[in-house]
Amino acid sequence: MDPLTLLREYTIRNDLDKIVRVNDEYRFGTDYSFPAAIDTAYRSKHGTRYTLETLIHFITNHHLKHIDYIQNARSLRIPAVTLPDRKPLLDYLTGKIQSSDSILPLDFPNIPHVAPVNVDRNLERDGEEFATQDSLVDEKSSIELIRAREKPIKDREDMLVFKTRDFYSVLTSAMKRDEERQRMEALQRKDNIVAKNRIESRGMGLGEEATKMRKIGEGVPIILVPSAFSTLITIYNVKDFLEDGVYIPTDVKLKQAKGGKPDCVTVQKKFSRDRVVTAYEVRDKPSALKSEDWDRVVAVFVLGKEWQFKDWPFKDHVEIFNKILGFYMRFEDDSVESAKTVKQWNVKIISISKNKRHQDRAAALEVLGMIVTLHNVAVFRVPIEHGVLCLLSNSLRL
């Protein structure tokens, strides 16, 4: 029985809940077991075969919109089914059509009934069968059984040697990201030098200035995000965005979350060349802040609603954005009306693409760069030795 046919039968019978993943294999009830990475007989329009893992993830998530399905597969590191293959593959697995030109049969040996027990016991049982039932299992079938349980492995060279795949665009994107990283690092180094020169020009040593800054707004800088899920950046996905430069929708992060909602998330950004780490606390409950905590607030992601700032210790949004850096996150193809209110405020509008995730890093670097530059969170290039980190807060207005 090949895995594609077996998956089709389980789909038609509505028995997908009986397919269970155990480590790196899928068990179809108590009947069959296959490696998750085994190739199936269904071939994509690009010429590659879909693995069993890809097909099971697709058939259990086919109700999602294609973009949501792609993002979910990417977050789980599972290769996705392409858009042109979606409908014909779904029609075949659900039984609407009996066959497809995309099916190129593979030689799968007959795999015996596999109970959900330890693999070593299975091998032990197989060994006993080979020894006691020579008339039924010969040397050839033994080799076929071993091959059926092998996991296909592809190295880097196998992936690169492909006639219909062009990696020039991948190289171009990698070079652009590297250039952007170097540009932001150069800007960071320049800002640090300017900040240091201004301190020295006031006739104060680094130690004296650091002491002054600790007295006002002592502690790690705070970034506030909305608690509402209607905004793009929340406490669930802010760490992925600011640290890794990747936007993951909140609903996807909620499905991956373990435990309750965090009260605080720590975001760290490391500049490898200068061996400097900046750290921020991200919170979504302004009401929980004490009066001394507000001195540490350096930035806020806004909803575009006045009620977001209710009970804040400021007169109005003019005073807020004179003291705190504001950001409004939006998709680049959203209507102008969605940002109509925030255009009247002193906030920075950050636009990201709905689909081009490789562009997220530039947006994240722009946010962090503005926080460091405009709000003077001065991080001087001091080597981290014996676990000691020198971080100067935002209290000093240079």
Side-chain angles (χ1 to χ4, degrees):
M1 175 69 72
D2 72 279
L4 178 63
T5 303
L6 192 61
L7 177 60
R8 184 172 186 265
E9 291 181 1
Y10 271 65
T11 303
I12 294 174
R13 298 201 310 258
N14 290 325
D15 286 341
L16 291 175
D17 58 324
K18 295 181 180 179
I19 302 176
V20 180
R21 178 161 185 165
V22 179
N23 297 325
D24 292 330
E25 67 177 18
Y26 281 102
R27 292 178 178 173
F28 290 72
T30 57
D31 298 328
Y32 294 91
S33 175
F34 295 97
I38 192 172
D39 285 337
T40 66
Y42 202 95
R43 185 174 56 179
S44 73
K45 296 187 184 301
H46 296 299
T48 58
R49 293 182 185 273
Y50 287 123
T51 63
L52 180 60
E53 179 182 44
T54 294
L55 295 187
I56 291 179
H57 178 261
F58 167 71
I59 195 61
T60 54
N61 293 277
H62 71 273
H63 58 283
L64 298 176
K65 293 182 179 179
H66 189 65
I67 181 61
D68 296 333
Y69 159 71
I70 292 293
Q71 292 176 348
N72 181 262
R74 184 176 300 166
S75 66
L76 298 175
R77 299 183 182 276
I78 297 176
V81 173
T82 61
L83 181 60
D85 289 328
R86 277 184 67 103
K87 188 177 186 306
L89 176 58
L90 182 62
D91 289 345
Y92 175 73
L93 291 178
T94 55
K96 290 184 179 180
I97 58 176
Q98 297 301 317
S99 184
S100 172
D101 294 337
S102 298
I103 298 176
L104 188 63
L106 291 168
D107 293 330
F108 288 95
N110 292 327
I111 300 178
H113 168 86
V114 177
V117 293
N118 188 277
V119 175
D120 292 335
R121 291 178 57 192
N122 288 339
L123 295 175
E124 218 173 278
R125 182 190 65 189
D126 293 338
E128 293 174 359
E129 290 180 358
F130 295 156
T132 57
Q133 301 180 15
D134 293 337
S135 59
L136 297 177
V137 182
D138 56 14
E139 182 179 356
K140 181 178 179 181
S141 62
S142 302
I143 295 175
E144 290 177 343
L145 180 60
I146 293 173
R147 287 178 177 173
R149 291 182 176 178
E150 288 180 347
K151 297 177 182 178
I153 298 177
K154 295 182 179 179
D155 58 20
R156 181 173 59 184
E157 294 181 357
D158 290 334
M159 295 298 293
L160 292 175
V161 179
F162 202 87
K163 295 180 179 179
T164 60
R165 188 171 295 169
D166 179 17
F167 287 95
Y168 178 74
S169 58
V170 177
L171 176 62
T172 304
S173 299
M175 293 177 65
K176 287 183 178 179
R177 286 196 297 270
D178 188 60
E179 291 174 358
E180 180 65 22
R181 177 183 61 80
Q182 293 180 10
R183 186 183 70 82
M184 293 304 298
E185 288 181 352
L187 178 61
Q188 178 68 28
R189 289 195 296 273
K190 179 181 177 181
D191 293 335
N192 291 342
I193 293 173
V194 171
K196 185 176 181 181
N197 290 339
R198 287 180 178 177
I199 290 176
E200 293 176 348
S201 67
R202 293 184 180 185
M204 290 183 285
L206 181 59
E208 181 183 350
E209 191 62 28
T211 302
K212 178 181 179 182
M213 295 170 72
R214 281 194 295 270
K215 290 179 181 178
I216 305 176
E218 180 180 2
V220 178
I222 296 175
I223 300 174
L224 296 177
V225 297
S227 57
F229 288 171
S230 57
T231 183
L232 296 187
I233 296 297
T234 65
I235 200 166
Y236 290 99
N237 62 3
V238 65
K239 189 176 182 71
D240 297 277
F241 180 68
L242 293 181
E243 276 193 2
D244 303 326
V246 177
Y247 170 73
I248 301 177
T250 298
D251 57 346
V252 176
K253 293 296 295 182
L254 276 173
K255 294 178 182 178
Q256 301 173 4
K258 296 180 181 179
K261 180 181 178 182
D263 294 328
C264 175
V265 172
T266 300
V267 172
Q268 292 182 327
K269 193 65 180 176
K270 182 175 183 180
F271 299 89
S272 58
R273 290 188 177 183
D274 298 324
R275 301 180 63 194
V276 172
V277 175
T278 59
Y280 305 93
E281 288 182 8
V282 181
R283 301 174 180 269
D284 67 348
K285 294 181 180 178
S287 59
L289 296 180
K290 300 177 181 178
S291 57
E292 60 268 21
D293 292 333
W294 283 101
D295 291 332
R296 297 193 286 131
V297 177
V298 296
V300 57
F301 285 85
V302 303
L303 272 169
K305 307 293 183 181
E306 288 279 1
W307 53 259
Q308 180 183 359
F309 310 110
K310 183 180 179 181
D311 298 328
W312 281 38
F314 302 99
K315 182 173 61 176
D316 52 25
H317 62 76
V318 175
E319 182 182 0
I320 291 174
F321 298 124
N322 280 337
K323 296 182 177 180
I324 300 174
L325 191 60
F327 296 100
Y328 178 72
M329 295 289 299
R330 65 187 293 271
F331 287 124
E332 58 187 7
D333 55 352
D334 283 349
S335 65
V336 178
E337 291 296 321
S338 63
K340 184 177 180 180
T341 302
V342 296
K343 283 186 176 181
Q344 304 173 21
W345 300 347
N346 183 23
V347 303
K348 175 66 176 178
I349 298 177
I350 304 294
S351 299
I352 61 174
S353 171
K354 285 186 177 180
N355 305 315
K356 301 174 183 178
R357 298 277 67 83
H358 64 278
Q359 297 179 359
D360 296 342
R361 179 176 173 81
L365 288 174
E366 182 179 7
V367 171
L368 287 174
M370 290 187 65
I371 292 176
V372 171
T373 304
L374 299 183
H375 281 268
N376 300 317
V377 181
V379 183
F380 294 98
R381 295 192 295 277
V382 179
I384 301 173
E385 297 177 356
H386 308 294
V388 178
L389 170 65
C390 179
L391 175 64
L392 303 184
S393 186
N394 70 309
S395 304
L396 179 65
R397 296 295 182 262
L398 301 178

